[in-house]
Amino acid sequence: MSENNTIGAKALIDTLTNAGIEVCFTNPGTSEMHFVSELDNSNMKAVLCLFEGVATGAADGYARIADKPAATLLHLGCGLGNGLANLHNAKKARVPMINIVGDHATYHTKYDAPLQSDIETVAKNFSKWIRTTQETSQIGKDAAEAIKVATGTPAQISTLILAADVSWNKGGVAETDFSIPKAPLTSAENLEQIAKVLKEEGKKTLILLGRRVLKEEGLLAAAKIAEKCGAKLLTETFPTRLQRGAGVPYVERLAYFAEMASVQLEGYNHMILIDTKAPVTFFAYPGKKGYLVPDGCTLHSLVTEQEDALGSIQALVEAVGAIDISPKLQEAKRPSLPTGKLNGEKAAQAIGALLPENAIISDEAQTSGVKIPAHTAGAPKHDILTLTGGAIGQALPVALGAAMADRNRPVLALVGDGSSMYTIQTLWSIVAENLDVTTVIFNNASYSILNIELERVGAKNAGPKAKAQLDISTPGLDFVSLAKGMGMPGVRVTTAEEFNEALEKAFREKGPFLIDAVVPSEYEGFKLKALPYVLGALDKIPNSIAKAIKNKIAP
């Protein structure tokens, strides 16, 4: 028998590529050098990221568009820890991902070297499956199991920890079997019960849509059901991937502010969840409800995470007799280009007026983006990727990953100035890969959302020290210089006309471009002080008036 000269790193990469995993976002160190070396002997595309949080966020964005996992290559527990915030977002997004984390050689761990850490404990925060491979001969089998877990139902994150000597030793065997069982539909009994609820006369029913039914096929099915049964559709607040625009059913998103969400949910007798959870507030607020399902509203769930969501909603279409129903589709309609001093709403108008066909929006615009959904509703078909886990610093890496998943689609990253600084290194990787990503930084020199939260939680007597923790105006951030320092062209704009011109140019001329959009905070001065009182009054006035106020503030 001939000797097996395949080292562990090669067997691992070959197993990944055999499974169709084509992209690895990397930030390697010494323990991963054999993996790095074997990249030249593989079909794997490797994308260098200058911070681990960029690599993990990019793998998230890639999976959202490609509908399959990317890999990350990270250095020890410290590197994995640096990527944790965007791994948290990816876990909440329920995307598939394979983390490859290097470790010290098995015989070196006894020395407790400076970088020694408990990698498995770090990984437990976000990983469904974790394994430290002990033998080179086992690496292919372990990788195959990681892939099956990540790509099963539900999609999840796997973390494979690879000791340096397991990586460089010979005897690795690549795997080729990645078969996983097909996810079942919801039970016939549950389907019948939910169909009965939808057909019930004299009752108001809300359908809350989530993760796997927010692409066009799922939205069409939901719209048919709603049209047939007179139900109201909403989507979860921060969807993983929502397809929208002209020709797609328009579905309103559940509001971020709990008081506004309560206005949207009031008066329903039944709430049907389809691949999402019952709505709750993001945080606790003194004297306010955390659980947003209205009193007296009965909750139903069409599927578990382990069941086929799209197949089940299509079965529900048949169960309620809606197969031949023609659902309402969003008409093509664009706003006119704005003029005058730039603000968040005018930027949203320009985006709606100029957004190209089949674009991808990575949205972390925070308070500056509250009007974007309304102004882009009738734009050409596009995808929007949102901040699923609430950990800021996601939009730029997700845009990088989305652009890597489909280089033929224009990507627009909408980012708050504060959140952009968490992963600003992403700009370098976008340039290095020459990706068609337009980045808009909404520069209001503040953590504006936190100014709102400071008021909402009832924190009293906020003085200069407190307010300084939310102010990033001194020194000011020069995003054009930051971009140019990483090879990306950019322009600073202060008027709507300048923004229109810059955005049109960015969409017309393919490649990386940054727009530093100087805008005032959406909520400041009297408006900021009044907001908690306005929100607090919404449950004390007629629902029709409350909805009008909600749509005025956050349409």
Short mmCIF file of all heavy atoms in Angstrom, two decimals, residues 257 260 345 367 369-371 452 522-523 527 530-531 534-535 538 546-555:
data_model
loop_
_atom_site.label_atom_id
_atom_site.label_comp_id
_atom_site.label_asym_id
_atom_site.label_seq_id
_atom_site.Cartn_x
_atom_site.Cartn_y
_atom_site.Cartn_z
N PHE A 257 -39.22 50.59 17.13
CA PHE A 257 -39.72 51.13 18.39
C PHE A 257 -40.94 50.32 18.84
O PHE A 257 -41.92 50.16 18.09
CB PHE A 257 -40.10 52.60 18.25
CG PHE A 257 -38.92 53.51 18.04
CD1 PHE A 257 -38.91 54.41 16.99
CD2 PHE A 257 -37.83 53.47 18.89
CE1 PHE A 257 -37.82 55.26 16.79
CE2 PHE A 257 -36.74 54.31 18.71
CZ PHE A 257 -36.74 55.20 17.65
N MET A 260 -44.42 51.76 18.38
CA MET A 260 -44.92 51.74 17.00
C MET A 260 -45.31 50.32 16.59
O MET A 260 -46.31 50.13 15.90
CB MET A 260 -43.85 52.30 16.06
CG MET A 260 -43.55 53.75 16.24
SD MET A 260 -42.32 54.31 15.03
CE MET A 260 -42.17 56.03 15.49
N GLU A 345 -33.92 61.94 4.84
CA GLU A 345 -35.05 61.67 3.94
C GLU A 345 -34.70 61.98 2.50
O GLU A 345 -35.06 61.24 1.58
CB GLU A 345 -36.29 62.45 4.36
CG GLU A 345 -37.47 62.15 3.44
CD GLU A 345 -38.79 62.62 3.97
OE1 GLU A 345 -38.82 63.39 4.95
OE2 GLU A 345 -39.82 62.23 3.37
N THR A 367 -30.66 55.67 12.33
CA THR A 367 -31.73 56.67 12.31
C THR A 367 -31.81 57.42 10.99
O THR A 367 -32.88 57.89 10.61
CB THR A 367 -31.53 57.69 13.45
OG1 THR A 367 -30.21 58.24 13.35
CG2 THR A 367 -31.68 57.02 14.80
N GLY A 369 -31.75 56.23 8.14
CA GLY A 369 -32.39 55.42 7.10
C GLY A 369 -33.85 55.11 7.32
O GLY A 369 -34.40 54.25 6.63
N VAL A 370 -34.51 55.80 8.25
CA VAL A 370 -35.89 55.43 8.58
C VAL A 370 -36.85 55.62 7.40
O VAL A 370 -37.87 54.95 7.32
CB VAL A 370 -36.41 56.20 9.82
CG1 VAL A 370 -35.68 55.78 11.06
CG2 VAL A 370 -36.33 57.71 9.60
N LYS A 371 -36.53 56.50 6.46
CA LYS A 371 -37.42 56.75 5.33
C LYS A 371 -37.04 55.93 4.09
O LYS A 371 -37.71 56.03 3.06
CB LYS A 371 -37.42 58.25 4.99
CG LYS A 371 -37.82 59.17 6.14
CD LYS A 371 -39.28 59.00 6.52
CE LYS A 371 -39.69 59.86 7.70
NZ LYS A 371 -39.64 61.30 7.43
N ILE A 452 -31.51 58.77 21.32
CA ILE A 452 -32.93 58.45 21.46
C ILE A 452 -33.14 57.50 22.63
O ILE A 452 -34.04 57.70 23.47
CB ILE A 452 -33.46 57.81 20.15
CG1 ILE A 452 -33.39 58.83 19.01
CG2 ILE A 452 -34.89 57.32 20.33
CD1 ILE A 452 -33.71 58.24 17.65
N GLU A 522 -31.53 62.90 12.67
CA GLU A 522 -32.98 62.91 12.46
C GLU A 522 -33.72 63.38 13.70
O GLU A 522 -34.80 63.96 13.60
CB GLU A 522 -33.44 61.50 12.08
CG GLU A 522 -33.07 61.08 10.67
CD GLU A 522 -33.78 61.91 9.62
OE1 GLU A 522 -35.04 61.91 9.59
OE2 GLU A 522 -33.08 62.57 8.84
N TYR A 523 -33.13 63.13 14.86
CA TYR A 523 -33.79 63.50 16.11
C TYR A 523 -32.80 64.28 16.97
O TYR A 523 -31.82 63.74 17.45
CB TYR A 523 -34.26 62.24 16.85
CG TYR A 523 -35.22 61.42 16.03
CD1 TYR A 523 -34.77 60.31 15.32
CD2 TYR A 523 -36.57 61.77 15.94
CE1 TYR A 523 -35.64 59.56 14.56
CE2 TYR A 523 -37.44 61.02 15.17
CZ TYR A 523 -36.98 59.92 14.49
OH TYR A 523 -37.84 59.18 13.71
N LYS A 527 -37.27 67.94 18.99
CA LYS A 527 -37.78 66.70 18.38
C LYS A 527 -37.32 65.47 19.16
O LYS A 527 -38.09 64.53 19.37
CB LYS A 527 -37.30 66.62 16.92
CG LYS A 527 -37.99 65.56 16.08
CD LYS A 527 -37.52 65.68 14.64
CE LYS A 527 -38.19 64.62 13.77
NZ LYS A 527 -37.72 64.70 12.35
N ALA A 530 -39.17 65.39 22.50
CA ALA A 530 -40.60 65.10 22.37
C ALA A 530 -40.87 63.66 22.00
O ALA A 530 -41.96 63.13 22.29
CB ALA A 530 -41.21 66.03 21.32
N LEU A 531 -39.89 62.99 21.36
CA LEU A 531 -40.15 61.66 20.83
C LEU A 531 -40.66 60.67 21.88
O LEU A 531 -41.65 59.96 21.64
CB LEU A 531 -38.89 61.11 20.16
CG LEU A 531 -39.04 59.74 19.49
CD1 LEU A 531 -40.07 59.78 18.37
CD2 LEU A 531 -37.70 59.24 18.95
N VAL A 534 -44.31 61.35 22.51
CA VAL A 534 -45.15 60.98 21.37
C VAL A 534 -45.35 59.47 21.34
O VAL A 534 -46.47 58.97 21.19
CB VAL A 534 -44.51 61.46 20.05
CG1 VAL A 534 -45.28 60.91 18.85
CG2 VAL A 534 -44.48 62.99 19.99
N LEU A 535 -44.24 58.73 21.52
CA LEU A 535 -44.34 57.27 21.51
C LEU A 535 -45.21 56.79 22.67
O LEU A 535 -46.01 55.87 22.51
CB LEU A 535 -42.94 56.65 21.62
CG LEU A 535 -42.01 56.87 20.42
CD1 LEU A 535 -40.62 56.32 20.72
CD2 LEU A 535 -42.57 56.24 19.16
N LEU A 538 -49.05 56.86 22.02
CA LEU A 538 -49.65 56.13 20.90
C LEU A 538 -50.72 55.14 21.34
O LEU A 538 -51.68 54.88 20.60
CB LEU A 538 -48.56 55.40 20.11
CG LEU A 538 -47.59 56.28 19.31
CD1 LEU A 538 -46.54 55.43 18.62
CD2 LEU A 538 -48.34 57.14 18.29
N ALA A 546 -52.93 56.84 15.63
CA ALA A 546 -51.61 56.34 16.02
C ALA A 546 -50.85 55.79 14.82
O ALA A 546 -49.64 56.02 14.68
CB ALA A 546 -51.76 55.26 17.09
N LYS A 547 -51.55 55.08 13.93
CA LYS A 547 -50.89 54.56 12.73
C LYS A 547 -50.41 55.68 11.82
O LYS A 547 -49.33 55.60 11.23
CB LYS A 547 -51.84 53.64 11.96
CG LYS A 547 -51.98 52.25 12.57
CD LYS A 547 -52.85 51.34 11.70
CE LYS A 547 -52.89 49.93 12.29
NZ LYS A 547 -53.76 49.04 11.48
N ALA A 548 -51.21 56.74 11.73
CA ALA A 548 -50.81 57.88 10.89
C ALA A 548 -49.54 58.54 11.46
O ALA A 548 -48.63 58.92 10.70
CB ALA A 548 -51.95 58.89 10.80
N ILE A 549 -49.47 58.65 12.79
CA ILE A 549 -48.28 59.22 13.41
C ILE A 549 -47.08 58.31 13.20
O ILE A 549 -45.98 58.76 12.86
CB ILE A 549 -48.53 59.45 14.92
CG1 ILE A 549 -49.60 60.53 15.12
CG2 ILE A 549 -47.24 59.85 15.63
CD1 ILE A 549 -50.06 60.69 16.55
N LYS A 550 -47.29 57.01 13.38
CA LYS A 550 -46.22 56.05 13.17
C LYS A 550 -45.69 56.15 11.75
O LYS A 550 -44.47 56.18 11.51
CB LYS A 550 -46.73 54.63 13.47
CG LYS A 550 -45.69 53.53 13.24
CD LYS A 550 -45.81 52.91 11.86
CE LYS A 550 -44.64 52.00 11.57
NZ LYS A 550 -44.53 51.63 10.15
N ASN A 551 -46.58 56.19 10.76
CA ASN A 551 -46.16 56.26 9.36
C ASN A 551 -45.48 57.58 9.01
O ASN A 551 -44.67 57.63 8.10
CB ASN A 551 -47.36 56.03 8.44
CG ASN A 551 -47.86 54.60 8.50
OD1 ASN A 551 -47.11 53.69 8.82
ND2 ASN A 551 -49.14 54.40 8.23
N LYS A 552 -45.81 58.62 9.75
CA LYS A 552 -45.14 59.90 9.53
C LYS A 552 -43.70 59.86 10.04
O LYS A 552 -42.77 60.36 9.40
CB LYS A 552 -45.91 61.01 10.25
CG LYS A 552 -45.29 62.40 10.13
CD LYS A 552 -45.40 62.94 8.72
CE LYS A 552 -44.89 64.39 8.66
NZ LYS A 552 -44.91 64.92 7.28
N ILE A 553 -43.50 59.23 11.20
CA ILE A 553 -42.18 59.17 11.80
C ILE A 553 -41.31 58.11 11.13
O ILE A 553 -40.14 58.34 10.81
CB ILE A 553 -42.29 58.88 13.31
CG1 ILE A 553 -43.03 60.01 14.02
CG2 ILE A 553 -40.90 58.71 13.94
CD1 ILE A 553 -43.34 59.72 15.48
N ALA A 554 -41.87 56.91 10.93
CA ALA A 554 -41.09 55.80 10.38
C ALA A 554 -41.97 54.99 9.43
O ALA A 554 -42.51 53.95 9.80
CB ALA A 554 -40.58 54.91 11.51
N PRO A 555 -42.14 55.47 8.19
CA PRO A 555 -43.01 54.78 7.25
C PRO A 555 -42.45 53.43 6.81
O PRO A 555 -41.25 53.23 6.80
CB PRO A 555 -43.08 55.75 6.07
CG PRO A 555 -41.83 56.56 6.17
CD PRO A 555 -41.52 56.67 7.63
#
